[in-house]
């Protein structure tokens, strides 16, 4: 009985955050600090917006190249080159998948380098991605446009290197 009272007293003295009256586990969270006068006047707002908002050329990539229904979209199976600011400075490969999540849109390229399969995922709005060059667009059924693939994700190419190399070389398999 004495140990229970001493534990209760120690618990009451050690807590600095008031507890919620209907639960012994829940506690109040301190509200965030109010905005400063400089932020209320708009100082530093444009710098924040410039960092947070998407650049127009990146918005064009998301809205056109990686759109679901735009006529000039890039279907899976296209061969792309991505130029970046950091190493590797350019990476070419077959477009395996596009993950459409608005400003967080990303895509996966695969290439075979020195008999080793290399996959890289790029985020369209990343500041490291400078530009995307289309080497060969996957067409709509043979001819000049290339061969049409009937899948949205071409992960099966990981296990079929002959089809992968045929797509990247532009040869019918």
């Amino acid at each position: 009985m004495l140990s229970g009272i001493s534990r209760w007293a120690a618990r009451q003295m050690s807590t600095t955050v008031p507890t919620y009256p209907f639960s012994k586990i829940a506690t109040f969270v301190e509200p965030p600090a109010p905005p400063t006068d400089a932020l209320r006047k708009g100082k530093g707002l444009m710098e924040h917006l410039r960092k947070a908002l998407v650049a127009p050329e990146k918005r064009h990539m998301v809205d056109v190249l990686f759109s679901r229904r735009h006529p000039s979209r890039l279907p899976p199976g296209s061969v792309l080159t991505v130029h970046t600011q950091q190493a590797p400075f350019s990476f070419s490969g077959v477009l395996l998948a596009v993950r459409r999540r608005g400003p967080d849109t990303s895509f996966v390229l695969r290439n075979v380098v020195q008999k080793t399969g290399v996959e890289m995922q790029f985020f369209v709005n990343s500041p490291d991605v400078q530009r995307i060059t289309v080497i060969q667009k996957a067409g709509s059924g043979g001819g000049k446009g290339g061969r049409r693939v009937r899948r949205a994700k071409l992960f099966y190419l990981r296990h079929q290197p002959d089809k992968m190399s045929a797509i990247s070389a532009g040869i019918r398999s």
Side-chain angles (χ1 to χ4, degrees):
M1 175 86 171
L2 187 61
S3 65
I5 293 173
S6 63
R7 269 189 277 146
W8 177 81
R11 200 176 309 137
Q12 291 300 320
M13 287 188 264
S14 66
T15 57
T16 57
V17 180
T19 58
Y20 187 65
F22 302 110
S23 173
K24 295 181 181 178
I25 299 172
T27 57
F28 285 115
V29 178
E30 294 294 324
T36 61
D37 291 332
L39 188 59
R40 284 189 186 139
K41 292 178 182 175
K43 293 185 178 179
L45 182 64
M46 290 307 293
E47 181 180 339
H48 170 72
L49 289 177
R50 196 174 304 117
K51 289 179 183 176
L53 293 179
V54 181
E57 58 270 2
K58 304 283 179 126
R59 185 182 311 271
H60 172 75
M61 281 192 244
V62 171
D63 293 343
V64 175
L65 294 179
F66 298 106
S67 171
R68 193 175 295 272
R69 302 195 189 280
H70 199 275
S72 59
R73 69 182 178 276
L74 291 174
S78 301
V79 182
L80 307 177
T81 300
V82 178
H83 301 277
T84 60
Q85 292 179 352
Q86 298 178 358
F89 293 108
S90 66
F91 185 81
S92 298
V94 177
L95 181 66
L96 289 187
V98 177
R99 181 179 163 270
R100 294 177 184 90
R101 299 288 187 274
D104 292 332
T105 298
S106 65
F107 57 96
V108 178
L109 294 182
R110 181 177 175 86
N111 198 356
V112 178
V113 179
Q114 297 177 356
K115 297 183 182 180
T116 304
V118 178
E119 286 187 12
M120 291 193 71
Q121 181 180 16
F122 296 98
F123 286 86
V124 177
N125 289 325
S126 171
D128 292 337
V129 174
Q130 291 180 333
R131 67 183 185 277
I132 299 172
T133 309
V134 180
I135 297 174
Q136 177 187 0
K137 190 173 177 179
S140 58
K144 192 175 183 180
R147 187 150 188 193
R148 179 177 164 234
V149 265
R150 298 182 179 200
R151 303 278 179 274
K153 312 280 192 236
L154 303 181
F155 294 131
Y156 66 90
L157 291 177
R158 294 173 176 164
H159 307 294
Q160 298 174 353
D162 52 342
K163 283 190 181 182
M164 167 76 185
S165 59
I167 289 175
S168 63
I171 304 168
R172 287 179 185 237
S173 58

